[in-house]
Amino acid sequence: MTKVKLSINLFGGFSITDGKGLDLTPRATKTQALVALLATSKHYRRSRAWLQDHLWSDREAEQASGSLRQTLHDLRKTLGDASIVVEATRSVITLDADLIEISPMHDGPATEAEFLAGMDVRDPEFNDWMRAMRAHYEAQNVATVAEDSTKSQLWTPSAAIEKPAPIQVRIIAEGHGNPDNVILETVLIEAIQRSLNEGFDVQFSYDLPDKAFQGSKIDTGLVLRVQGLTNQIGEQHVRASLEDLTGLRSFWGETVRIAENEGAGPESFSCQSLAHRATVAFAELLMEDQGLAQSLAASDADMMAASALRKMFTMRPEEVAEAGVLLQAAVERQNRGLYHAWLAQVHCIQHVEQQSSDSDALREQTDAHVRYALELEPMNSNVLAATANARLIFDNDTIQSGALARQSVTLNRSNPLCWFAWANANLYGGSLETAYAAAVTAQALGARSSIEFWTSFQQALSAAVTGRLSEAMSYASVSNALAPNFRPPLRYLAGIASQLGRMPDASRALTRLSSLEEEFSVERMVNDPSYPVSMMRRAKLLQPDKLTDLL
């Protein structure tokens, strides 16, 4: 094939042209997106797994792999003689650096045009990535988010930050005169309202069964409909749903039964767990339906923070770095304590997972973000939970961490991240049974939500440290099944399985770890005190004689 140098334009409308100005731009949006993902990567190379995760995140691995192969075939067909620029192996896809020219080049965009303007890819992971890249180019004027995000200057408040209009949510309660149902609905509404206000800028108006409409009438927005129900044998249920104003479209809905021993008061665990799932559904709805988000006038800062939250808990270095970029951009738009708290959480992950080369800078930035977060939103449970984790990880201060975590639980009992922080503080503080009970609560609240993998791992960790090895093995396996690239449960699976004599399981976990960590070795896991398995050491789950020969 003839070697033809291609010019790839990423700003304004995406385009590919050859040296003679011939337009070779693929017509299919996902084919364009594939080129964009490659063209913005270090060395113009991405793994097939990463590309599949960002273009077909809603498909099973085998189906996503087939879609990638077809898209790659379509790209080569479009490029014709210039297709030599695309190199593919069984594991990675690369653009030949000698045969492409990125416009603008990697020293930063020389244009004010929007990155990939007009590109509409129906995949939430790609849209998260594109949002991060747009924020990155706008804020830093450089070309890749793969660099270490902790090397940026310490953030200082901006003098002029505009406050956007809030998202309108109308609450409709349908108690139908039954006092017990009304109480149930009130508890649920208060829990959902508290959680939504902590994460987003939301304005509520109300339709209540025993009162006239409260608040100004709104023509756009979402309806949160709640309904308490009592059947003929006295069993109570409660339902929550997110709908459009016309009632013709339901975005999400769920009904739960209230157990006989929990009652309908503020301590109702069923109401608290349903409130958390409603909050998660609200966030995911905004992330996955860009048209709806625009119609609701969701702020850029809110959307960036929601994207960042989804990315940071993957624990994958590049996505954690992208989360940091998104949150820095969010802070510049709207100076919320919550965004500072999430930045502190990003830095905690980077520190524990050894994703930063400058631990002193990381510590300094985390301390600043903790101070800003607590100053700006001291009564936000997410802020308190994240800052509790930061005080524990960077300062090993179990007293401050415990105080912050305890207050977070008091403020919002439906937030599993608060119980997660409370479990951590007690785990490292030596109150192991308290830690275990908190982890069980976190896992139960997080069940059937997008963070179930995270809370399942916390229960596995607490169970392991308290000697419940079979239970620990079970929940570590659940965490791994829900998030196969999430490394912490694999580490514990290896240690727990070896203790239980399940050597094939231990061997599989170690093999998977070695594929996810370039510098992984059993010797390092067992002997390197900086390797993030301190609780495994405390629980004496790292036995060299059992692990050394398994990999």
Side-chain angles (χ1 to χ4, degrees):
M1 290 184 182
T2 305
K3 289 191 175 183
V4 179
K5 194 154 190 172
L6 300 181
S7 177
I8 301 173
N9 181 60
L10 301 173
F11 288 81
F14 175 88
S15 65
I16 303 176
T17 55
D18 68 6
K20 298 179 181 180
L22 180 65
D23 185 7
L24 297 175
T25 307
R27 297 183 64 182
T29 305
K30 284 209 173 177
T31 311
Q32 297 177 12
L34 172 63
V35 176
L37 291 170
L38 293 168
T40 52
S41 63
K42 191 174 183 179
H43 306 307
Y44 309 113
R45 180 187 301 122
R46 300 279 191 189
S47 72
R48 285 179 179 265
W50 191 91
L51 292 167
Q52 290 165 199
D53 285 346
H54 283 71
L55 289 172
W56 298 279
S57 63
D58 57 345
R59 300 184 185 180
E60 297 295 331
E62 185 175 345
Q63 187 180 11
S65 178
S67 297
L68 177 57
R69 286 195 302 272
Q70 182 61 50
T71 301
L72 191 59
H73 171 77
D74 293 344
L75 173 61
R76 285 173 165 152
K77 184 177 179 180
T78 301
L79 295 179
D81 290 343
S83 64
I84 193 172
V85 72
V86 183
E87 302 171 358
T89 69
R90 295 182 64 181
S91 58
V92 299
I93 299 174
T94 309
L95 297 179
D96 189 331
D98 294 330
L99 299 180
I100 59 172
E101 181 180 85
I102 309 298
S103 177
M105 295 296 290
H106 273 196
D107 56 356
T111 175
E112 294 184 359
E114 185 177 54
F115 177 74
L116 299 182
M119 186 171 286
D120 183 13
V121 175
R122 294 187 177 182
D123 190 280
E125 287 296 323
F126 180 85
N127 290 324
D128 282 353
W129 171 85
M130 186 165 63
R131 192 175 290 112
M133 292 296 290
R134 286 173 177 171
H136 181 76
Y137 280 116
E138 179 183 330
Q140 299 188 21
N141 200 37
V142 292
T144 178
V145 295
E147 300 297 328
D148 187 345
S149 65
T150 65
K151 294 179 181 177
S152 59
Q153 293 292 319
L154 197 63
W155 184 88
T156 55
S158 171
I161 299 179
E162 296 183 5
K163 184 173 177 59
I167 298 171
Q168 301 291 330
V169 175
R170 180 171 168 180
I171 298 176
I172 299 177
E174 301 175 326
H176 301 297
N178 183 317
D180 290 337
N181 290 343
V182 171
I183 292 173
L184 198 60
E185 292 173 355
T186 301
V187 169
L188 181 59
I189 288 171
E190 288 176 348
I192 295 174
Q193 188 174 357
R194 179 170 52 247
S195 292
L196 287 181
N197 272 328
E198 288 185 334
F200 298 90
D201 188 6
V202 182
Q203 184 177 58
F204 296 94
S205 53
Y206 303 87
D207 275 344
L208 302 178
D210 56 344
K211 297 180 182 177
F213 182 82
Q214 297 179 358
S216 58
K217 283 283 186 182
I218 54 176
D219 297 322
T220 60
L222 281 174
V223 167
L224 169 65
R225 189 183 301 273
V226 298
Q227 185 175 16
L229 304 165
T230 303
N231 63 20
Q232 294 180 339
I233 60 174
E235 293 177 334
Q236 275 194 299
H237 296 75
V238 65
R239 176 171 176 78
S241 62
L242 289 170
E243 307 169 358
D244 63 15
L245 277 173
T246 66
L248 299 177
R249 182 167 58 153
S250 179
F251 301 107
W252 167 87
E254 188 176 335
T255 303
V256 297
R257 180 177 177 272
I258 306 300
E260 292 181 6
N261 60 350
E262 64 177 308
E267 300 300 316
S268 168
F269 187 82
S270 297
C271 280
Q272 300 297 344
S273 59
L274 183 58
H276 170 67
R277 292 193 293 279
T279 304
V280 171
F282 178 89
E284 291 182 345
L285 179 59
L286 294 185
M287 297 301 301
E288 294 173 10
D289 191 332
Q290 293 192 68
L292 178 66
Q294 291 173 359
S295 71
L296 295 175
S299 75
D300 286 345
D302 276 351
M303 298 297 286
M304 288 173 177
S307 292
L309 193 62
R310 182 155 55 182
K311 284 180 173 293
M312 79 166 129
F313 287 122
T314 67
M315 310 288 276
R316 294 195 290 268
E318 187 174 61
E319 298 210 32
V320 174
E322 287 179 13
V325 171
L326 281 164
L327 289 164
Q328 287 168 2
V331 163
E332 292 301 329
R333 285 162 172 76
Q334 190 178 353
N335 187 23
R336 284 198 63 180
L338 177 64
Y339 306 155
H340 288 287
W342 289 146
L343 274 165
Q345 184 68 56
V346 164
H347 295 335
C348 287
I349 293 170
Q350 290 174 323
H351 178 70
V352 171
E353 292 296 309
Q354 300 176 355
Q355 297 173 6
S356 171
S357 58
D358 191 342
S359 58
D360 290 337
L362 204 63
R363 182 183 300 275
E364 181 183 6
Q365 290 186 40
T366 302
D367 187 61
H369 287 304
V370 166
R371 285 187 281 106
Y372 283 127
L374 291 173
E375 177 183 338
L376 292 167
E377 294 188 69
M379 301 302 285
N380 184 316
S381 71
N382 289 307
V383 166
L384 291 164
T387 55
N389 291 333
R391 289 303 185 210
L392 181 65
I393 288 170
F394 281 97
D395 303 327
N396 196 29
D397 191 330
T398 57
I399 295 177
Q400 283 199 34
S401 177
L404 291 165
R406 182 171 56 249
Q407 177 72 341
S408 74
V409 168
T410 301
L411 286 173
N412 191 348
R413 299 182 66 83
S414 70
N415 186 347
L417 296 179
C418 299
W419 291 97
F420 185 102
W422 180 232
N424 256 353
N426 282 282
L427 198 61
Y428 285 87
S431 300
L432 301 185
E433 288 301 323
T434 300
Y436 174 76
V440 170
T441 302
Q443 198 284 327
L445 287 170
R448 291 184 289 156
S449 77
S450 57
I451 65 167
E452 184 175 0
F453 78 94
W454 183 259
T455 55
S456 293
F457 169 66
Q458 178 72 3
Q459 181 160 350
L461 177 61
S462 299
V465 173
T466 55
R468 299 170 169 93
L469 294 189
S470 294
E471 180 181 327
M473 182 79 180
S474 175
Y475 279 101
S477 297
V478 168
S479 180
N480 178 240
L482 294 172
N485 293 324
F486 183 43
R487 292 174 292 172
L490 288 168
R491 297 166 184 154
Y492 282 79
L493 275 172
I496 296 166
S498 67
Q499 287 292 95
L500 293 174
R502 296 170 60 171
M503 296 309 176
D505 292 326
S507 181
R508 279 193 293 271
L510 292 173
T511 301
R512 180 63 180 153
L513 269 176
S514 67
S515 71
L516 294 172
E517 294 183 10
E518 291 184 5
E519 299 180 0
F520 176 78
S521 69
V522 173
E523 191 278 333
R524 182 177 176 224
M525 184 171 75
V526 172
N527 296 318
D528 184 352
S530 68
Y531 193 76
V533 286
S534 60
M535 281 296 157
M536 285 181 71
R537 291 192 177 87
R538 182 179 298 189
K540 298 181 179 178
L541 296 175
L542 285 173
Q543 301 295 328
D545 58 323
K546 294 182 178 181
L547 292 170
T548 303
D549 297 331
L550 292 178
L551 183 63

